[in-house]
Amino acid sequence: QVPLKESGGGSVRPGGSLRLSCEAFQYESSCMGWFRQAPGKAREGVATIFRDGTPFYADSVKGRATISQDKGKNTIYLEIHDLQPEDTALYLCATGPSYGGSRRCGEAILSAAFYYWGRGTQVSVSE
């Protein structure tokens, strides 16, 4: 099992921002991503990033989220602005197959085709 450690979650008011981090220990992949799962709802993709830095976003966060990476630290980040109550969820990091091209990494937002998953960091948005 590849250790993935997420951090940065918390409680914020609507309109606030958070920056989540995910470090993969002793594992490198060409594609990593963020997913979220709210109580009673299915897991959904949020964003993925290919090794060349190409980002992909779900429509639900497009325009207010930025995924980035620090290869030296084997860490990815997810910054989300203008958080709303519907963003409340457990945010999970994932890593896995080494795709040869960025297209498969983008498709992974929907397919969730990752080998390893973290335990998540909770994001709660309320007044």
Side-chain angles (χ1 to χ4, degrees):
Q1 185 73 17
V2 174
L4 291 170
K5 184 177 181 180
E6 302 100 331
S7 61
S11 297
V12 298
R13 293 187 175 184
S17 300
L18 281 174
R19 187 183 192 226
L20 310 181
S21 300
C22 171
E23 182 177 2
F25 296 92
Q26 299 179 335
Y27 185 81
E28 293 185 9
S29 170
S30 66
C31 181
M32 294 182 70
W34 285 99
F35 293 74
R36 65 186 182 185
Q37 187 161 21
K41 294 187 177 181
R43 184 181 58 197
E44 66 169 335
V46 178
T48 57
I49 187 165
F50 190 59
R51 62 188 168 199
D52 66 357
T54 302
F56 300 90
Y57 299 99
D59 290 342
S60 58
V61 299
K62 197 171 291 183
R64 58 189 186 94
T66 301
I67 187 170
S68 59
Q69 63 185 358
D70 184 331
K71 292 181 181 179
K73 296 181 179 179
N74 213 18
T75 298
I76 63 169
Y77 306 94
L78 180 70
E79 190 164 3
I80 309 180
H81 302 285
D82 192 25
L83 284 160
Q84 299 300 318
E86 53 266 33
D87 294 312
T88 295
L90 183 68
Y91 282 70
L92 305 113
C93 174
T95 188
S98 287
Y99 297 123
S102 63
R103 181 178 62 85
R104 293 281 302 279
C105 188
E107 293 172 349
I109 288 182
L110 294 178
S111 71
F114 290 96
Y115 292 156
Y116 307 108
W117 296 80
R119 294 187 176 184
T121 184
Q122 180 67 38
V123 172
S124 299
V125 186
S126 63
E127 293 287 354

